[in-house]
Amino acid sequence: MSWRSAGLGGAFLLVAVTVASAQPAQPDPVRDKVRAYRAAHEKEIVGELDGLLALPNVATRVADIERNADHLTAMLERRGFAVQRLSAGPGTPPAVYGELRVPGAQRTLMFYAHYDGQPAGQKGWLSDPFKPVLRSGPPGPNLKDIDLQSVTGPLDPEWRIYARSASDDKSPIVAILTALDALRASGLQPSVNVKLFLEGEEEQGSEHLGTILRRNTALLAADAWLLCDGPVHPTRRMQIYFGARGVAGMELTVYGPLRPLHSGHYGNWAPNPAVELAHLIAEMRDEEGRILIPGFYDDVRPLTVAEKQAIALMPPVEAALEDELGLGRTEGKGARLQDRLMDPALNVRGLRSAEVGEGAANAIPTEAQVSIDFRLVPDQTPQKVKDKVEAFLRAKGWHLITEAPDKETLKAFPKVARIAWSLDYAAHRTDMSLPVSRAVATLVERAAGGPIVQAPMLGGSVPMSTFTDILKVPMIGVPIVNHDNNQHGINENLRLQNLWDGIEVYAELMAGMGTMMGK
Ligand SMILES: [Zn+2]
């Protein structure tokens, strides 16, 4: 998911939070057999992932994407999947769809992942982002390269594979397929039909996703979609998530005089757009994050009992975060981070007017601009947010325009603002009390051998609503990668233990969901 995260590398926390009480893992036949298979095939598994990671995969380069799609098709067909390329039209990145019918299975599970990745041209990579390298741990001093071929015996689970998309989001694909291999090698069969939907344009905003889904609703039918993207909890505990916030962007420019004015000769007479904008922002949101736009919270769906209980059970991360981030205070009067993420948010992602510091002139600027991202929660929609914000601005006396104003317009209205929106997508929350939600939680917990984190909704934004609105299917996030993986940034990496755990989790889901969901 181009986890629209405003440069935060996805919507997730990046701190290592230790949790005191790690209970001994409960015995589990499926997991133990899968683990034995993995232990005997570690090099092959890493080798297969390396092969996929070696293919450049930025969605704007469709030839590269097609090469990835060919490679994935071979990986799926080797395992007996019927494969189709689902496209919105020539020259657009296709989704790779795979279907495995399991004799006797009554239920169907769809695994979603994306095989495209973020551009990797940034400076600072330790090695070519598309030449995967195994290393002895996270980036830092004393980091050593490991030659996989020369390793005898088990691989150290703290070793990491460095490459673009190692975590976001190619490794879950290999984990899903290896889970199937392990079940079969252990004489076990999935208890569900297994479908894969591998998107090829996610990091570029999934422009063609809606078209692909609408054209293939019958083909893509399933009892549940599992979103295999994102990291586990910063406590390193397995985490599942039932929703994600939506997002909408707004650019607002307010105007002052036609040319910069001497502040001495005109101050306190000619309106200052920077001051006006500062007032406007403060009228829209307070210092605790409360949005002051009338009716903004009207469409906010109240939390269910199950959601409140899940939040209460989430391990505390605030103290470590405040330390990591150097925060002297947090918004919300000491409220927990997860509680804050359950509310809509107005984030000022940028502010600009004239110059500051050395470049500053004693003048009244001609304009001031703010760039805002709104995080939406169920049942808000980008359109409803737009309507409320614009009604508020008009009520505050702002004349709204969409093009740069001419002199006549500026003279005709006391306050003029140019406004532009990106109405991306709504939020989504799958009901945590659904039988399928309980089944996923039980099986992931069984694979993890202990308590997992269940997040009702992530703070970041992924277009879950695009899937659920079109396909009307429960969608649950089952991420596996390490939270400190540097996704979207340089030296993206994958911790081997997370890959191993992911194989067991996906195997447990394939083996158990049919039984758990019943006929
Ligand atoms: Zn992703």
Side-chain angles (χ1 to χ4, degrees):
M1 237 32 46
S2 67
W3 296 97
R4 292 252 166 131
S5 55
L8 283 177
F12 304 90
L13 317 167
L14 299 177
V15 292
V17 179
T18 51
V19 169
S21 60
Q23 301 87 347
Q26 334 296 333
D28 172 60
V30 171
R31 184 196 57 228
D32 299 344
K33 284 186 179 141
V34 168
R35 184 170 296 180
Y37 173 87
R38 182 266 300 167
H41 296 84
E42 292 184 347
K43 279 189 175 180
E44 291 98 296
I45 298 167
V46 171
E48 181 169 37
L49 178 54
D50 283 354
L52 184 58
L53 291 171
L55 300 170
N57 62 339
V58 178
T60 50
R61 298 179 183 189
V62 175
D64 285 351
I65 285 292
E66 291 289 352
R67 258 188 294 279
N68 278 267
D70 292 342
H71 190 91
L72 287 164
T73 300
M75 288 168 66
L76 269 64
E77 285 179 343
R78 236 189 346 264
R79 289 157 170 105
F81 283 85
V83 181
Q84 292 180 47
R85 261 181 173 61
L86 306 178
S87 166
T92 65
V96 175
Y97 169 75
E99 182 171 320
L100 187 73
R101 289 269 148 204
V102 173
Q106 307 275 324
R107 300 282 187 168
T108 298
L109 208 51
M110 175 76 80
F111 291 83
Y112 167 96
H114 64 90
Y115 64 88
D116 69 305
Q118 280 282 328
Q122 310 104 316
K123 286 199 179 49
W125 280 84
L126 294 166
S127 52
D128 178 332
F130 296 109
K131 290 201 172 55
V133 175
L134 189 61
R135 294 195 168 97
S136 55
N142 315 322
L143 185 62
K144 293 185 185 55
D145 289 10
I146 313 277
D147 171 22
L148 181 65
Q149 297 323 318
S150 67
V151 176
T152 54
L155 306 184
D156 181 330
E158 291 307 324
W159 289 349
R160 298 188 182 200
I161 300 168
Y162 284 70
R164 175 51 86 228
S165 297
S167 273
D168 186 14
D169 187 36
K170 281 181 171 180
S171 49
I173 300 172
V174 170
I176 294 161
L177 297 178
T178 306
L180 185 62
D181 298 342
L183 287 176
R184 286 171 167 166
S186 315
L188 300 167
Q189 268 289 13
S191 64
V192 289
N193 300 310
V194 177
K195 292 182 173 182
L196 268 71
F197 183 92
L198 307 176
E199 191 190 352
E201 193 190 23
E202 189 279 332
E203 297 291 359
Q204 301 298 325
S206 305
E207 190 194 336
H208 300 96
L209 178 62
T211 306
I212 291 174
L213 298 180
R214 269 184 288 277
R215 285 185 183 168
N216 299 283
T217 46
L219 185 72
L220 301 174
D223 292 279
W225 278 55
L226 301 182
L227 200 51
C228 307
D229 191 14
V232 300
H233 196 259
T235 54
R236 292 221 187 285
R237 273 198 209 167
M238 265 298 154
Q239 134 169 283
I240 57 175
Y241 56 90
F242 293 85
R245 291 198 285 191
V247 65
M250 181 182 81
E251 296 295 328
L252 195 71
T253 306
V254 305
Y255 296 90
L258 284 173
R259 58 183 170 78
L261 293 177
H262 187 290
S263 62
H265 297 323
Y266 297 96
N268 285 351
W269 183 76
N272 181 315
V275 173
E276 288 188 312
L277 186 57
H279 279 285
L280 178 54
I281 293 169
E283 287 168 338
M284 289 197 286
R285 178 205 195 274
D286 71 13
E287 290 176 275
E288 296 300 332
R290 181 88 189 151
I291 298 170
L292 308 170
I293 294 164
F296 200 90
Y297 293 87
D298 290 358
D299 304 306
V300 172
R301 184 195 310 166
L303 297 180
T304 65
V305 173
E307 288 166 343
K308 286 179 186 154
Q309 283 167 346
I311 293 171
L313 288 170
M314 292 178 75
V317 293
E318 289 73 19
L321 261 186
E322 286 163 29
D323 173 59
E324 155 91 15
L325 305 172
L327 296 178
R329 82 173 183 101
T330 57
E331 294 183 342
K333 302 194 170 73
R336 298 189 61 192
L337 172 64
Q338 185 62 35
D339 289 318
R340 304 296 297 155
L341 300 181
M342 301 306 286
D343 279 337
L346 184 162
N347 176 54
V348 172
R349 60 187 174 190
L351 204 45
R352 182 188 298 154
S353 185
E355 297 305 326
V356 295
E358 268 181 31
N362 290 345
I364 298 168
T366 58
E367 61 183 58
Q369 184 175 357
V370 64
S371 183
I372 287 174
D373 65 283
F374 290 96
R375 299 285 171 169
L376 284 58
V377 301
D379 296 312
Q380 297 181 304
T381 66
Q383 185 60 50
K384 281 194 266 186
V385 164
K386 176 177 184 285
D387 297 343
K388 287 176 200 293
V389 172
E390 293 192 353
F392 162 82
L393 293 171
R394 290 196 177 93
K396 289 285 178 188
W398 290 93
H399 173 67
L400 302 181
I401 54 177
T402 55
E403 303 300 322
D406 56 21
K407 182 176 174 180
E408 300 328 308
T409 305
L410 291 172
K411 283 180 61 186
F413 301 95
K415 297 199 279 188
V416 175
R418 179 180 180 180
I419 192 162
W421 288 90
S422 60
L423 301 181
D424 301 287
Y425 46 80
H428 173 76
R429 273 209 309 268
T430 294
D431 179 351
M432 296 178 75
S433 60
L434 287 174
V436 69
S437 300
R438 292 303 87 218
V440 169
T442 304
L443 290 168
V444 174
E445 205 143 75
R446 188 183 296 171
I452 62 171
V453 175
Q454 302 190 38
M457 183 171 68
L458 300 175
S461 301
V462 271
M464 286 174 96
S465 58
T466 307
F467 292 94
T468 53
D469 290 353
I470 296 171
L471 302 173
K472 310 277 181 255
V473 64
M475 191 169 225
I476 299 159
V478 186
I480 65 168
V481 304
N482 43 300
H483 67 279
D484 54 355
N485 68 68
N486 293 346
Q487 60 184 76
H488 293 207
I490 57 172
N491 299 319
E492 180 180 347
N493 61 77
L494 171 75
R495 178 171 163 264
L496 289 185
Q497 185 61 55
N498 286 74
L499 179 60
W500 304 156
D501 294 344
I503 294 167
E504 292 169 11
V505 163
Y506 295 142
E508 197 78 58
L509 288 162
M510 285 181 202
M513 279 296 278
T515 331
M516 294 283 290
M517 287 198 284
K519 300 275 177 283

